[in-house]
Amino acid sequence: MAFSPPTTAAHCAFASAHSATSSSVSPLLLPDGTLASSGGKVVKNVAGYDLPKLVTGALGTLGVITRAVFRLHPLPLNSHSFSISTVNAEETQKFVLAVQDSKLAHTFLQSHFSDEKPPASDILFEGTEAGLAAQEAQLRNLAAPASVSEASNSSWTAREELWAFSDPAGTAITKISILPANMAPTVELVERTARTHQVRWRALIYATGLGWLRLEGKPGALCAALQALRGELQGQDGSLVALHRPSKMPAFDAWGTASDTLPLMKAVKQQLDPKNTLNPGRFVGGI
């Protein structure tokens, strides 16, 4: 099973942004051979520790998931995607915050940024035809005077497309976490940093502040750009985690400075894996 790094600015202890999709992890094989279980085949279960959220995203440092139970949802009757073009990152941020503060019942909202073209946001609605028509009317009023056009379902493969690169020796992929209100300043920071270090860039940021950044350039320039970006983001209660970097790039810690949650994370590690058997040194803070 693939694991994802934690997504909060504080590297919240072994939590995953997508853990809500799983209702149960049972059992979990611990390093000493013990089988631990949690939850049940129900929508909500609060009995015992919340092991699903604890181990999902732990990069295999706490135990081995041997079985997972997922809650499935039926496909919506209808869906409609729109793309909203804006002139700059500041206008994009205003639109995203306005949507989040509105009564729009959107399913997903993401924004694209790059050094090649103006920013754009994609928004997805699901429901009945009448409901979708009402949502579209409200969206167009909210987005004015920005341009609103229909978007294809391929818009929702944007994260995967960031990984479609032909030069692994000159490409770095990172996961960033920021406050939604810092979207525009973050994009402007990336623009300045990219110009300074002469690298190309593309970014995809969700309305929650979670995003992915792709940089292309010479290994030394990529390292310098990532170091500069991480320093600035951590100063704003954000984070930058390196998911892919060129093999010839100078040494760069994947996680960055550990937050004040590290003692708690180490305590959990000590409780479940006291001999440091599973993936030693793989996680944040050398866990």
Side-chain angles (χ1 to χ4, degrees):
M1 173 173 285
F3 292 98
S4 300
T7 56
T8 63
H11 296 308
C12 184
F14 305 114
S16 167
H18 305 293
S19 59
T21 61
S22 176
S23 60
S24 171
V25 170
S26 173
L28 174 70
L29 181 63
L30 300 180
D32 63 357
T34 302
L35 287 174
S37 61
S38 174
K41 297 179 182 180
V42 295
V43 173
K44 187 173 184 180
N45 189 317
V46 295
Y49 291 109
D50 195 342
L51 285 180
K53 290 184 180 178
L54 188 65
V55 302
T56 304
L59 294 179
T61 57
L62 297 180
V64 178
I65 298 174
T66 62
R67 186 178 68 191
V69 178
F70 294 89
R71 184 173 75 249
L72 303 180
H73 298 272
L75 291 173
L77 294 176
N78 304 283
S79 65
H80 209 157
S81 297
F82 297 93
S83 180
I84 295 86
S85 301
T86 51
V87 295
N88 53 40
E90 184 176 358
E91 290 299 317
T92 301
Q93 177 178 300
K94 288 181 179 179
F95 167 74
V96 170
L97 294 180
V99 170
Q100 296 291 75
D101 195 41
S102 72
K103 294 183 179 180
L104 283 173
H106 57 290
T107 302
F108 212 74
L109 177 58
Q110 63 184 16
S111 299
H112 309 258
F113 304 92
S114 74
D115 56 8
E116 299 178 340
K117 53 187 177 182
S121 298
D122 302 319
I123 189 168
L124 171 66
F125 297 105
E126 297 175 337
T128 64
E129 288 288 357
L132 291 178
Q135 296 284 327
E136 179 181 354
Q138 186 177 350
L139 171 68
R140 292 185 180 278
N141 289 333
L142 187 67
S147 172
V148 179
S149 59
E150 293 192 15
S152 65
N153 289 333
S154 62
S155 301
W156 308 112
T157 63
R159 188 177 74 171
E160 289 79 2
E161 290 174 0
L162 280 179
W163 287 87
F165 49 82
S166 58
D167 182 19
T171 305
I173 304 287
T174 70
K175 178 184 283 188
I176 62 174
S177 179
I178 61 174
L179 295 173
N182 285 344
M183 180 184 293
T186 297
V187 172
E188 292 167 0
L189 168 65
V190 173
E191 289 177 335
R192 293 194 305 271
T193 304
R195 285 196 301 267
T196 299
H197 299 284
Q198 297 182 327
V199 297
R200 304 293 301 274
W201 67 278
R202 291 172 55 190
L204 177 72
I205 303 179
Y206 296 162
T208 57
L210 175 66
W212 285 263
L213 172 65
R214 168 173 158 176
L215 300 177
E216 298 178 3
K218 296 181 179 179
L222 291 176
C223 185
L226 291 177
Q227 289 175 335
L229 288 171
R230 171 174 282 165
E232 291 287 342
L233 291 177
Q234 289 184 161
Q236 302 171 15
D237 294 323
S239 67
L240 183 150
V241 175
L243 303 181
H244 168 81
R245 65 182 183 86
S247 59
K248 294 184 178 181
M249 196 180 93
F252 182 79
D253 179 66
W255 300 100
T257 303
S259 71
D260 56 5
T261 61
L262 184 59
L264 174 60
M265 297 171 70
K266 287 184 174 180
V268 173
K269 173 70 170 177
Q270 177 65 26
Q271 184 71 28
L272 297 181
D273 184 13
K275 295 183 179 180
N276 200 28
T277 302
L278 297 175
N279 291 321
R282 187 183 185 189
F283 207 37
V284 60
I287 294 178

